[in-house]
Amino acid sequence: MVINVRVVVALGGNALLQKNQKGMYTDQLENARRTAKFLADIIENEPELELVITHGNGPQAGAIAIQNDAAKDIVPPMPLDVINAETQALIGYMLQQSLKNEFARRGLKREVVTIVTQVVVRRNDPAFQNPTKFIGPYYTEEEAKRLMKEKGWIMKPDPRGGWRRVVPSPEPIDVVEKEVIMKLLELGIVPITVGGGGIPVVFENGCFEGIEAVIDKDLASSLLARILRADLLVILTDVDYVYLDFENNAKRIPLREITLNEIKQYYDAGHFPAGSMGPKVLAAIKFLEAGGREARIGHLEQALNVIKGLSGTRIKP
Amino acid sequence: MVINVRVVVALGGNALLQKNQKGMYTDQLENARRTAKFLADIIENEPELELVITHGNGPQAGAIAIQNDAAKDIVPPMPLDVINAETQALIGYMLQQSLKNEFARRGLKREVVTIVTQVVVRRNDPAFQNPTKFIGPYYTEEEAKRLMKEKGWIMKPDPRGGWRRVVPSPEPIDVVEKEVIMKLLELGIVPITVGGGGIPVVFENGCFEGIEAVIDKDLASSLLARILRADLLVILTDVDYVYLDFENNAKRIPLREITLNEIKQYYDAGHFPAGSMGPKVLAAIKFLEAGGREARIGHLEQALNVIKGLSGTRIKP
């Protein structure tokens, strides 16, 4: 009996949109095709891997929120759970098409499919009392105050300028479609799932129901890796390693191999910024604390080397 | 060995949006929940059925096209293939959540999941020379002429007033994710697929690539039923039967049971309007011509009775 190695690979925003790009479809598709090559490298070299792909959706969700807002007098705007769903298909479509093409080009017989995925959060999660995640368009203070009254939104001045809506980022606690994902994996199919952290839902009175929130994609990927009893959680981003003193180019130190306890100390000491490396490190910590064998954080372009353990930060129990 | 009966059920627009509704999320969700009850009736009474769900997306695709247009100076608009993908997740999310809740309420152990699905068309399909399907916002003649120049769109006066974009509605010839759909069915999972006719793609030089078109959802459902070698194609809509002389309330005749040859004669004689019953009847004809056992067209609220053969038009070879 062959025991396959099961790996959850979480793609960062750079997999689909570069920082200087406006979000043109042609640019996003080109990035998806580039990303597909790095992922196909993994399948081609490690054909026994069971691969799950997850991804962020920040720029795409922002764009759809702006579109909803711009047309709000003609078309009823959709809530955040629906906007997340839309980004899952928008991004999933590009990734699944690009991967399928790349697999075929290399003669790899693997199917890949995007699963619309709901992720459960608790309504009494403290995040709902203290929303922190900025989303959607920028408004003037006056507009913001009107929207807060009209829609019950919470809005705050964004350090980047203007007022924006802030929404809760609660902790993910379950993946509704986990059984399906598990079965697809067992069949050798590559699922693209929990996109943008998953569609946030609560489970109350035996029913799932959408809720307005944004789930961190790295934490959702970590949860999924725990549920699937994955061997590896791999977070791919636009830096080669997790660094100490990242902002200080001269002094910064890449972490190549580190234990759970060590990185927890750095995490607790505030070494990793909340908006970037923080959630990735926390996702790795949670995965290892739940019994995961190893978590890795590395560069998208080094995907295969990260899988092989030759690049990226390796975090072990 | 038990041979399961495999059924493709195609939901019409009324499953998610009633004619008098504006597209509020709360209304769409309520409709999805109502639709889920009719579909759960099938699973509860015919637990051995392998069920595939497909659906239209007209109003939702229209809404997203309007949103794209309203924000076009801030956010790059997405092409039609991406808009279709977005509607697949928007509608699929609501249906899959409502079905899962309804299954649980009735103690039915069935998983349900939305598969982002691409459908192949031919670039040399004559529809690309003669686009006929109106989509998106209404414009003045002046705006329309500017857009035709700027974007290369084809625009025509819509009989309902104003100028609108017209896009090709080519014939679907393959479903890219068919292997995955087949495997899900074999596992007893209910897939929601080829939403809105599927994401239109062409297959050229070994690669799939999106193309701007809108595929008829009934024809895509018929194709899927043929690919899956389904026993039954069931098209649910807002009338009980296919009628002759439908517009004439006093004289109209419901077709209860009819052969392929008979309905083909009525179809060729122009009995079924292009915008409504025409594509449904054509979808049934194509399914039966390819060896399907039976096609049925009936009312969504009668879903179980249609499956049982007690309501709806039954079309046999």
Side-chain angles (χ1 to χ4, degrees):
Chain A
M1 185 180 157
V2 177
I3 306 287
N4 287 339
V5 176
R6 187 170 281 185
V7 183
V8 173
V9 172
L11 301 174
N14 65 319
L16 284 152
L17 222 50
Q18 313 280 337
K19 269 167 194 148
N20 57 341
Q21 293 176 331
K22 300 263 181 227
M24 295 283 294
Y25 174 57
T26 44
D27 290 337
Q28 294 198 53
L29 184 60
E30 197 181 308
N31 295 332
R33 288 176 175 173
R34 196 171 156 271
T35 295
K37 288 184 203 294
F38 300 124
L39 296 172
D41 285 345
I42 299 174
I43 299 283
E44 190 169 14
N45 285 277
E46 310 276 350
E48 82 293 353
L49 275 193
E50 290 180 359
L51 188 65
V52 183
I53 297 169
T54 71
H55 60 83
N57 73 347
Q60 294 82 4
I64 294 178
I66 289 170
Q67 291 173 333
N68 270 264
D69 186 65
K72 65 179 182 295
D73 297 331
I74 324 170
V75 169
M78 291 290 127
L80 290 176
D81 47 329
V82 174
I83 290 177
N84 174 289
E86 292 180 61
T87 66
Q88 286 189 12
L90 183 157
I91 297 167
Y93 159 48
M94 288 188 280
L95 279 177
Q96 117 187 19
Q97 182 183 77
S98 303
L99 278 165
K100 186 149 177 108
N101 287 341
E102 194 61 35
F103 288 171
R105 200 171 287 130
R106 302 183 190 203
L108 305 172
K109 304 247 175 282
R110 291 288 277 270
E111 294 292 333
V112 49
V113 73
T114 304
I115 296 297
V116 173
T117 309
Q118 307 170 78
V119 171
V120 183
V121 300
R122 291 186 191 89
R123 198 185 287 277
N124 65 1
D125 189 303
F128 286 99
Q129 300 309 314
N130 178 31
T132 54
K133 190 155 178 62
F134 286 105
I135 58 148
Y138 294 76
Y139 299 93
T140 65
E141 185 173 348
E142 199 186 335
E143 288 170 320
K145 288 187 169 154
R146 184 175 50 74
L147 284 165
M148 287 194 269
K149 243 187 231 165
E150 265 180 38
K151 306 217 177 189
W153 288 356
I154 300 175
M155 303 191 69
K156 291 180 183 167
D158 187 320
R160 284 154 285 194
W163 284 61
R164 287 176 85 195
R165 185 171 177 199
V166 282
V167 296
S169 190
E171 202 188 330
I173 59 168
D174 200 5
V175 175
V176 178
E177 288 75 19
K178 60 190 171 192
E179 299 290 340
V180 179
I181 297 164
M182 215 155 336
K183 288 190 168 144
L184 290 175
L185 273 179
E186 285 163 9
L187 292 166
I189 296 166
V190 177
I192 300 171
T193 180
V194 300
I199 303 170
V201 298
V202 290
F203 184 67
E204 289 169 343
N205 308 316
C207 275
F208 297 101
E209 187 175 5
I211 190 164
E212 295 228 83
V214 169
I215 303 170
D216 181 84
K217 78 106 173 54
D218 293 309
L219 295 182
S221 307
S222 170
L223 170 69
L224 180 66
R226 281 173 272 155
I227 291 173
L228 298 176
R229 301 183 172 277
D231 300 281
L232 263 185
L233 169 65
V234 173
I235 299 175
L236 297 177
T237 177
D238 55 357
V239 292
D240 280 323
Y241 293 91
V242 180
Y243 286 85
L244 298 179
D245 282 316
F246 183 70
E247 297 303 327
N248 186 334
N249 266 324
K251 275 184 60 186
R252 69 188 188 181
I253 304 161
L255 299 172
R256 292 176 194 273
E257 224 179 295
I258 187 165
T259 66
L260 172 60
N261 278 335
E262 286 171 316
I263 205 160
K264 270 177 80 171
Q265 285 169 22
Y266 290 126
Y267 181 83
D268 291 338
H271 269 273
F272 312 117
S276 58
M277 199 48 87
K280 296 184 198 340
V281 170
L282 182 60
I285 290 172
K286 282 174 179 272
F287 176 62
L288 292 173
E289 284 185 339
R293 256 175 41 195
E294 193 170 329
R296 296 182 189 161
I297 300 173
H299 201 294
L300 170 64
E301 294 177 6
Q302 295 293 325
L304 176 60
N305 281 331
V306 174
I307 292 282
K308 286 183 167 173
L310 303 175
S311 181
T313 298
R314 302 179 62 166
I315 312 166
K316 295 184 180 182
Chain B
M1 185 182 157
V2 177
I3 306 285
N4 286 338
V5 176
R6 185 169 282 183
V7 183
V8 172
V9 172
L11 302 174
N14 65 321
L16 284 151
L17 221 50
Q18 313 281 338
K19 271 170 193 146
N20 56 342
Q21 294 177 331
K22 300 263 181 222
M24 295 282 294
Y25 174 57
T26 44
D27 290 336
Q28 295 199 52
L29 185 60
E30 199 181 306
N31 295 333
R33 288 175 176 173
R34 194 170 157 273
T35 295
K37 288 184 205 293
F38 300 124
L39 296 172
D41 285 346
I42 299 175
I43 300 283
E44 191 170 12
N45 285 277
E46 310 275 352
E48 82 293 352
L49 275 193
E50 290 180 357
L51 188 66
V52 184
I53 297 169
T54 71
H55 59 83
N57 74 346
Q60 295 82 3
I64 294 178
I66 290 169
Q67 291 173 333
N68 270 265
D69 185 65
K72 66 177 181 296
D73 296 331
I74 324 170
V75 168
M78 291 290 127
L80 290 177
D81 48 329
V82 174
I83 291 178
N84 174 289
E86 292 180 62
T87 67
Q88 286 190 12
L90 182 157
I91 297 166
Y93 159 48
M94 288 188 281
L95 279 178
Q96 116 188 22
Q97 182 185 77
S98 303
L99 278 166
K100 185 150 178 110
N101 287 340
E102 193 62 35
F103 288 171
R105 201 172 284 127
R106 302 183 189 204
L108 306 172
K109 304 248 175 282
R110 291 287 278 269
E111 293 293 331
V112 49
V113 75
T114 304
I115 296 297
V116 173
T117 309
Q118 307 170 76
V119 171
V120 183
V121 301
R122 290 187 192 89
R123 198 185 288 275
N124 64 1
D125 189 303
F128 286 99
Q129 300 309 314
N130 177 31
T132 53
K133 189 154 179 63
F134 286 103
I135 59 149
Y138 293 77
Y139 298 92
T140 64
E141 185 173 348
E142 199 187 334
E143 288 170 320
K145 288 190 169 154
R146 185 175 48 76
L147 284 164
M148 287 194 269
K149 243 187 232 166
E150 265 179 38
K151 306 216 177 192
W153 288 357
I154 299 174
M155 304 191 70
K156 291 180 183 168
D158 187 320
R160 283 154 287 195
W163 284 60
R164 289 176 84 195
R165 186 173 176 199
V166 282
V167 296
S169 191
E171 200 187 334
I173 58 167
D174 200 5
V175 175
V176 179
E177 287 75 19
K178 61 191 171 191
E179 299 290 340
V180 179
I181 297 164
M182 217 158 329
K183 288 194 168 141
L184 291 174
L185 273 179
E186 285 164 9
L187 292 166
I189 296 166
V190 178
I192 300 170
T193 181
V194 299
I199 303 170
V201 297
V202 290
F203 184 67
E204 290 169 343
N205 307 316
C207 276
F208 297 102
E209 186 174 7
I211 189 163
E212 294 226 86
V214 169
I215 302 169
D216 181 84
K217 78 104 175 53
D218 293 309
L219 295 182
S221 306
S222 169
L223 170 69
L224 181 66
R226 281 173 271 155
I227 291 173
L228 297 176
R229 301 183 171 279
D231 299 282
L232 261 186
L233 169 65
V234 173
I235 299 176
L236 298 178
T237 178
D238 55 358
V239 291
D240 279 324
Y241 293 91
V242 180
Y243 287 84
L244 299 180
D245 282 318
F246 183 70
E247 297 304 326
N248 186 335
N249 267 324
K251 275 184 58 186
R252 68 188 189 181
I253 304 160
L255 300 172
R256 292 175 195 275
E257 225 179 293
I258 186 163
T259 66
L260 172 59
N261 278 336
E262 286 171 317
I263 205 159
K264 270 177 79 170
Q265 285 168 21
Y266 289 127
Y267 181 84
D268 291 339
H271 268 272
F272 312 117
S276 58
M277 198 49 86
K280 295 183 198 343
V281 170
L282 182 60
I285 290 172
K286 282 175 178 273
F287 175 62
L288 292 173
E289 285 186 337
R293 256 176 39 197
E294 193 170 328
R296 296 183 188 160
I297 300 173
H299 200 295
L300 170 64
E301 293 178 6
Q302 294 293 325
L304 176 59
N305 281 331
V306 174
I307 292 282
K308 286 183 167 171
L310 303 175
S311 179
T313 299
R314 301 180 63 167
I315 312 165
K316 296 183 180 182

